[in-house]
């Protein structure tokens, strides 16, 4: 699988979408003892989409996007409907002129939930209210992303970020759909194009760290 560099389409109707933070645990044993292992260092988001609540245009956009991502093989950019953008969000100081790039809703890790592939060009980054530029870096010991600002930073200098927040996600499991072509209209003066109706099953999108 690979990262597609595509962005999940913005839906016109978001009613009924649910989100949960999951912490997968693998359990093994030898008959005498049980061993539990945390599969991910941090919790990851899972979003459930009820297709019955979607407009026809949304369904068609999702089917097209599924085809573009090789039927769910590739990951993509995704905006969490509950946290689609940074709004003057304060980043945690790391050291010198570097700050952790994270979203605050992951209670398990104390608010450090990584944004691995931000679109820095769409973000406004400020140090004590003064706009600056930054580059994306990765901590070699933890794999966590951070930004290195052009301006001087310190624990007493507040770094804020404003702009769209993109996570990396993929479709969870197969997505079932069918496309039905309706008959042409026989009425005079009406459009003779064959309309299509997409029958789309409920689906899930799961966050990935790559």
């Amino acid at each position: 699988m690979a990262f597609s560099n595509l962005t999940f389409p913005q839906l016109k109707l978001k009613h009924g979408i649910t989100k949960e933070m999951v912490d997968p645990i693998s359990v093994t044993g030898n008959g005498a003892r049980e061993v539990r292992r945390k599969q991910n260092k941090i919790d990851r988001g899972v979003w459930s989409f009820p297709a019955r609540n979607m407009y026809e245009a949304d369904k068609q956009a999702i089917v097209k996007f599924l085809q573009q991502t090789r039927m769910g093989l590739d990951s993509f950019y995704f905006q969490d409907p509950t946290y689609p953008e940074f709004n003057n969000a304060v980043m945690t100081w790391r050291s010198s002129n570097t700050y952790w790039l994270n979203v605050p809703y992951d209670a398990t890790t104390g608010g450090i939930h990584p944004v691995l592939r931000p679109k820095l060009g769409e973000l406004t980054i400020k140090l004590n209210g003064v706009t600056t530029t930054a580059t994306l870096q990765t901590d070699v010991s933890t794999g966590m992303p951070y930004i290195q600002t052009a301006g001087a930073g310190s624990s007493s200098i507040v770094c804020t970020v404003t702009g769209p927040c993109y996570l990396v996600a993929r479709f969870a499991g197969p997505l079932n759909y069918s496309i039905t072509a309706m008959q042409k209209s026989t009425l005079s003066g009406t459009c003779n194009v064959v309309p299509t109706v997409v029958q789309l099953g409920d689906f899930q999108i799961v966050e990935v760290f790559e």
Side-chain angles (χ1 to χ4, degrees):
M1 73 178 186
F3 176 67
S4 66
N5 204 38
L6 299 174
T7 302
F8 186 78
Q10 290 287 341
L11 303 181
K12 297 179 180 178
L13 183 63
K14 300 180 180 180
H15 175 71
I17 298 175
T18 60
K19 169 192 172 181
E20 60 180 329
M21 300 301 295
V22 298
D23 184 13
I25 302 293
S26 64
V27 180
T28 58
N30 58 8
R33 293 180 180 274
E34 181 177 274
V35 178
R36 295 180 295 276
R37 179 177 292 107
K38 185 177 172 68
Q39 295 183 15
N40 295 318
K41 182 177 181 180
I42 54 179
D43 294 358
R44 66 179 180 179
V46 178
W47 297 265
S48 298
F49 290 75
R52 62 185 178 277
N53 291 337
M54 294 182 181
Y55 288 110
E56 181 67 20
D58 287 344
K59 295 179 183 180
Q60 293 185 17
I62 291 172
V63 168
K64 180 179 179 180
F65 187 75
L66 179 66
Q67 296 167 344
Q68 292 173 330
T69 54
R70 299 192 295 173
M71 303 305 293
L73 181 63
D74 296 335
S75 56
F76 46 83
Y77 284 119
F78 177 75
Q79 285 181 278
D80 180 359
T82 67
Y83 197 92
E85 60 183 29
F86 296 105
N87 185 11
N88 209 34
V90 177
M91 299 295 106
T92 304
W93 179 70
R94 175 178 175 270
S95 65
S96 185
N97 62 332
T98 63
Y99 297 81
W100 297 111
L101 184 62
N102 53 68
V103 290
Y105 55 62
D106 191 343
T108 302
T109 55
I112 302 178
H113 191 97
V115 180
L116 298 179
R117 294 178 183 267
K119 298 183 181 182
L120 287 183
E122 298 182 24
L123 298 178
T124 299
I125 301 172
K126 295 183 179 181
L127 296 176
N128 281 352
V130 179
T131 302
T132 185
T133 58
T135 58
L136 181 67
Q137 308 293 336
T138 301
D139 188 295
V140 295
S141 61
T142 65
M144 300 287 277
Y146 64 90
I147 53 176
Q148 183 172 13
T149 61
S154 72
S155 59
S156 62
I157 295 179
V158 178
C159 176
T160 59
V161 175
T162 298
C165 177
Y166 292 101
L167 304 176
V168 180
R170 62 173 172 79
F171 288 103
L175 179 58
N176 300 318
Y177 71 91
S178 62
I179 300 177
T180 303
M182 308 299 288
Q183 294 184 350
K184 297 180 180 180
S185 173
T186 58
L187 298 177
S188 175
T190 61
C191 178
N192 206 32
V193 176
V194 180
T196 59
V197 175
V198 175
Q199 300 296 329
L200 179 67
D202 295 350
F203 64 94
Q204 288 186 320
I205 287 178
V206 59
E207 184 179 10
V208 295
F209 304 113
E210 61 181 34

